[in-house]
Amino acid sequence: MSETPENSPAGTVKTHAFQAEVSQVLKLVIHSLYSHKEIFLRELVSNASDALSRLRFAALTQPELMTGDSTLEVRIRVDEAARTLHIEDTGIGMTEEELVRNLGTVAHSGSRAFLEKLAEGVKKDANLIGQFGVGFYSAYLVADKVTVTTRSATPGSGAFRWSSDAGDTFTIEPTLRASRGTEIVLHLREDQKEFAESWRLRELVERYSDYVNYPIKLEVVRRKGGEGEGAKEEERSFEQVNRASALWQRPKAEVTDEQYTDFYKHLTRDFEAPLARAHFRVEGTQEFVGLLYVPAHAPYDLNDPRRRRGVRLFVRRVFIMDDCEEILPPWLRFVRGVVDSDDLPLNVSRELLQDSAILKAIRKQVVKQTLTLLEDMAKDRPDDYAKFWGAFGVVLKEGLALDRDREHDYTDKLGALVRYESSRGEGPTSLTDYVARMKDGQEAIYFISGESKQAIAGSPHLEALLARGFEVLYMTDPVDEWATEGLREFGGKKLVSAMRANLPMQETDAQKKDAEAETASLAPLTARIGKVLEQHVREVKVTHRLTESPCCLTLADGATAPYLERLLRERGKGMPQPKRIFELNPTHPVIKSLSELVVRDPAAPRIDEWIEVLFDQAVLAEGGQIDDPGRFAKRVASLLTLAAAAPSTL
Ligand code: ADP
């Protein structure tokens, strides 16, 4: 590559303001990463390698992009006198417009939300900023001024120079550059001279960028005529520093843990090491190599449906695309890594990928390998698995809800991987452990769902189950409602909501007889309740599931659980409120007194009001929301007034 003349036609320098977010990112980078300064080189080399990959891919269909020079490499050199570090690539380059957009705005999806989160005071640590991918701006960790000279590979494009000292503005001016590609020049800060030392640069490239697929060359200076006094003349030449071989193509035995971790960091720009990895080669009708990682923490936009999937697709070592949707189902969108196929055509398009049988086969293997990886982690490293579950459990559970009846059924495997808090109160448990702890006479796996542990732990529905010593799982993620639709049973045991009316529980003959007698004696009250709550209730009956509460609301078979129904309503999916079953505890004093009152004085003024209060408090007890909290509060206040006026009852 030839030297680029610094002169530019006068009067054509344009000054642009950085988008506000860029200034924010710059500040964050400088404040959060001051102890990780050296990462700038990895970031800039990654950008250069991406630019080379994009050129190589585009040239598959537009060979003219590479005419004249087919070199694909990165060159690093130092100008000691000027204290500048130069990183140059022969990649795709940028047009003037691309320069403004790419280096003047923050274009990542969800970045605004992320920045807002940071501004709200979330810890500004290296891990968070790492998830964001600081990229180009990390240059300002070591430089007080950066210039970027670039020429797009598109034939006929001119060259432009971008320059900024990280204030509020940058300038762009036309310049001259002989060949396509980009040169980044860092004007190193006084205290960052170490990055002008070639041994230091060599060390960094070897550490961070050994596996970059293109040669990374470093300029070395040799003195002619031997060392010492007489050695005046210098000879400069470029030497390749990295191995430039795809790490995933190397045999496992030849790759160290450290190299795997460094590669992960290169790929994801994460600062934290991954929790687990799988490196595998599939042979047979489809041949491909996969290197998959499970990160240690969730990215800020995990729940953004537009979030890119994290597996890069290569075909015979040629980079094809970053976010190949077809390789991973959405419920594995946290997995990062690389898939390199031997069978796909190089000029594969997105449309072609959509119904490619080859990719379907790859996807099946990728899912299988990931699930095995998770199973092993759960078995051998429960603490790491707990960490994984905390970060990605919500996403994995979507697999139960979404993937039923699709190409493959992963229900059993996913069932073994899910974890739930339970009434046992000892943290998340697996279903396998739950089943192993099941009591004699317990027929099903019981669960209760709602907004939070607090909201459901006191629910009346649990009383009889807990009284029998049965454990109940607490499901508090919205996705659980769908997940349990998919996971109907586990280990031969049905999953049953504690809210269902026909809870399978053994009753003794004596209890059954009692129930008949009680039902008869409570008939006037049940009839009255049925009338008063006609709008909300389809049936009123006597129950033995309650020990402390006067009543509760249960679900008929096939009825939607109230929490799910509320979620659907909140999402604007209008659905009629399903009628519930109102169950009465015949031994509770309130029910007994009310029943007597209905018989003795059916015209007593407050009976109907009290029935409504009972209904509302049953809704509240299961963590639900009542229709008219104001009216409820007034009624409770008037009841308290009555009670306070008759102190003998207190
Ligand atoms: P990221 O790489 O995460 O997108 P950066 O801030 O590092 O974020 O870079 C922003 C954009 O600038 C890149 O997406 C790319 O389009 C462009 N870019 C950066 N470096 C180069 C380069 N060496 N050659 C071509 N384009 C580049």
Side-chain angles (χ1 to χ4, degrees):
M1 271 157 280
S2 62
E3 210 58 302
T4 54
E6 295 290 326
N7 59 319
S8 63
T12 51
V13 180
K14 290 186 205 149
T15 302
H16 300 255
F18 279 120
Q19 184 196 29
E21 280 83 355
V22 175
S23 306
Q24 250 176 301
V25 170
L26 275 167
K27 273 200 205 95
L28 272 170
V29 166
I30 290 163
H31 285 117
S32 331
L33 296 175
Y34 54 86
S35 55
H36 300 265
K37 288 204 170 68
E38 80 277 3
I39 59 116
F40 82 91
L41 193 64
R42 179 186 78 191
E43 301 288 317
L44 297 182
V45 169
S46 287
N47 279 352
S49 120
D50 288 349
L52 292 165
S53 292
R54 277 186 285 141
L55 173 67
R56 182 152 71 163
F57 182 60
L60 294 170
T61 47
Q62 296 162 262
E64 66 279 10
L65 295 177
M66 289 252 247
T67 34
D69 186 3
S70 58
T71 321
L72 291 175
E73 63 184 25
V74 182
R75 294 182 178 200
I76 303 175
R77 72 183 174 88
V78 168
D79 181 335
E80 287 95 354
R83 212 195 314 132
T84 51
L85 172 62
H86 302 235
I87 298 153
E88 185 169 21
D89 64 68
T90 55
I92 197 151
M94 284 176 269
T95 61
E96 180 177 15
E97 196 194 327
E98 284 166 343
L99 260 183
V100 176
R101 192 176 58 234
N102 294 339
L103 304 185
T105 61
V106 179
H108 313 256
S109 74
S111 59
R112 265 167 207 270
F114 174 74
L115 289 168
E116 274 160 22
K117 220 162 113 192
L118 278 181
E120 277 164 19
V122 179
K123 238 174 71 202
K124 293 175 183 157
D125 61 13
N127 288 329
L128 262 183
I129 191 92
Q131 296 167 39
F132 181 65
V134 289
F136 172 76
Y137 302 109
S138 62
Y140 290 98
L141 286 167
V142 296
D144 43 26
K145 181 177 168 194
V146 179
T147 62
V148 179
T149 305
T150 183
R151 202 176 111 191
S152 165
T154 309
S157 301
F160 293 90
R161 188 165 64 186
W162 179 103
S163 175
S164 175
D165 57 8
D168 297 327
T169 59
F170 59 92
T171 57
I172 292 190
E173 61 198 293
T175 186
L176 298 171
R177 182 180 160 81
S179 49
R180 65 150 200 272
T182 304
E183 180 181 30
I184 317 254
V185 181
L186 285 80
H187 298 259
L188 293 173
R189 291 212 299 258
E190 172 73 48
D191 57 347
Q192 302 301 324
K193 276 191 286 211
E194 63 178 288
F195 299 111
E197 303 276 358
S198 101
W199 65 267
R200 180 75 169 116
L201 295 169
R202 179 181 290 267
E203 180 191 81
L204 290 176
V205 172
E206 280 173 0
R207 165 136 178 70
Y208 288 120
S209 310
D210 196 28
Y211 25 72
V212 167
N213 247 341
Y214 306 94
I216 302 174
K217 295 182 173 172
L218 185 64
E219 191 179 56
V220 287
V221 185
R222 283 202 183 77
R223 311 220 184 277
K224 266 193 179 164
E227 297 293 320
E229 288 288 295
K232 289 245 160 56
E233 262 185 81
E234 282 180 353
E235 191 183 72
R236 292 176 177 261
S237 61
F238 281 98
E239 259 180 28
Q240 182 167 337
V241 185
N242 66 329
R243 271 191 279 185
S245 80
L247 178 103
W248 59 90
Q249 293 288 3
R250 295 187 204 159
K252 260 190 198 177
E254 285 176 21
V255 186
T256 65
D257 282 347
E258 203 186 5
Q259 285 170 326
Y260 276 123
T261 301
D262 285 345
F263 178 65
Y264 166 80
K265 290 181 176 173
H266 159 77
L267 199 68
T268 60
R269 303 190 171 179
D270 192 349
F271 281 76
E272 205 176 340
L275 274 183
R277 64 163 189 266
H279 187 187
F280 54 93
R281 174 178 289 280
V282 175
E283 272 152 358
T285 38
Q286 302 303 330
E287 306 218 338
F288 75 97
V289 172
L291 174 53
L292 307 175
Y293 294 93
V294 177
H297 55 87
Y300 64 94
D301 59 350
L302 185 65
N303 287 321
D304 184 345
R306 285 159 308 166
R307 183 188 145 71
R308 294 166 157 204
R309 314 269 163 82
V311 172
R312 284 193 184 187
L313 177 66
F314 286 74
V315 171
R316 293 184 289 286
R317 299 186 193 206
V318 176
F319 169 81
I320 304 293
M321 65 182 74
D322 258 334
D323 49 341
C324 183
E325 301 245 321
E326 284 68 26
I327 295 180
L328 286 172
W331 47 275
L332 288 181
R333 62 182 175 273
F334 53 84
V335 174
R336 311 298 303 265
V338 164
V339 160
D340 190 351
S341 160
D342 283 351
D343 308 298
L344 284 167
L346 266 178
N347 59 351
V348 61
S349 66
R350 268 179 202 275
E351 294 68 45
L352 209 109
L353 286 175
Q354 264 157 25
D355 31 46
S356 148
I358 298 177
L359 263 194
K360 284 209 176 86
I362 290 180
R363 173 174 162 136
K364 189 178 163 196
Q365 286 295 332
V366 166
V367 172
K368 195 176 129 196
Q369 293 281 346
T370 308
L371 293 178
T372 308
L373 181 68
L374 295 177
E375 280 160 17
D376 290 347
M377 184 169 31
K379 195 161 71 202
D380 305 330
R381 296 184 288 142
D383 289 348
D384 282 346
Y385 189 76
K387 202 169 165 193
F388 157 77
W389 186 255
F392 302 113
V394 205
V395 176
L396 195 69
K397 282 189 283 194
E398 287 174 18
L400 284 166
L402 297 173
D403 245 35
R404 263 181 80 78
D405 306 325
R406 297 266 176 92
E407 302 145 50
H408 305 285
D409 189 355
Y410 299 109
T411 314
D412 290 343
K413 282 191 170 285
L414 287 172
L417 289 169
V418 295
R419 299 288 182 270
Y420 288 109
E421 292 278 346
S422 80
S423 56
R424 193 161 154 261
E426 291 182 23
T429 176
S430 70
L431 296 181
T432 313
D433 290 345
Y434 178 102
V435 170
R437 283 192 298 267
M438 276 171 65
K439 286 261 164 3
D440 282 349
Q442 181 176 351
E443 289 167 17
I445 299 171
Y446 296 109
F447 69 89
I448 181 152
S449 53
E451 200 165 298
S452 68
K453 204 163 113 183
Q454 286 82 346
I456 50 182
S459 173
H461 303 93
L462 302 184
E463 288 172 12
L465 293 169
L466 299 184
R468 281 163 211 234
F470 296 172
E471 184 177 349
V472 182
L473 300 174
Y474 295 155
M475 302 205 175
T476 52
D477 274 327
V479 65
D480 287 328
E481 297 288 346
W482 286 278
T484 49
E485 296 285 310
L487 182 69
R488 282 159 195 260
E489 55 174 66
F490 182 80
K493 307 285 176 194
K494 282 207 161 51
L495 263 81
V496 173
S497 164
M499 289 193 173
R500 294 279 157 199
N502 56 351
L503 207 56
M505 283 202 289
Q506 289 165 338
E507 286 191 321
T508 60
D509 285 347
Q511 274 174 328
K512 278 187 196 141
K513 237 190 181 144
D514 282 355
E516 276 165 32
E518 281 156 355
T519 305
S521 84
L522 290 176
L525 177 63
T526 45
R528 181 72 171 260
I529 294 176
K531 222 170 112 222
V532 176
L533 299 178
E534 210 178 357
Q535 299 280 319
H536 306 288
V537 162
R538 54 186 280 177
E539 189 188 342
V540 184
K541 67 181 200 187
V542 171
T543 186
H544 286 118
R545 71 158 82 213
L546 300 171
T547 55
E548 286 162 25
S549 305
C551 56
C552 71
L553 296 163
T554 58
L555 293 171
D557 273 347
T560 313
Y563 181 48
L564 175 59
E565 181 241 314
R566 202 172 91 212
L567 288 172
L568 292 172
R569 236 182 308 137
E570 280 167 5
R571 288 175 193 193
K573 304 231 161 60
M575 44 186 295
Q577 218 159 337
K579 289 191 176 180
R580 307 283 297 273
I581 298 172
F582 193 95
E583 300 196 5
L584 299 176
N585 176 359
T587 62
H588 196 282
V590 167
I591 301 301
K592 281 186 182 163
S593 312
L594 202 56
S595 158
E596 281 162 24
L597 184 63
V598 170
V599 175
R600 198 176 62 234
D601 183 7
R606 289 231 165 81
I607 293 179
D608 293 356
E609 209 178 290
W610 289 342
I611 288 173
E612 282 175 357
V613 171
L614 278 175
F615 176 78
D616 280 350
Q617 65 84 34
V619 173
L620 289 175
E622 65 179 30
Q625 287 175 354
I626 53 178
D627 293 342
D628 189 346
R631 190 179 60 185
F632 177 74
K634 268 195 207 123
R635 285 172 171 178
V636 170
S638 78
L639 281 169
L640 290 173
T641 313
L642 278 180
S648 60
T649 62
L650 293 178

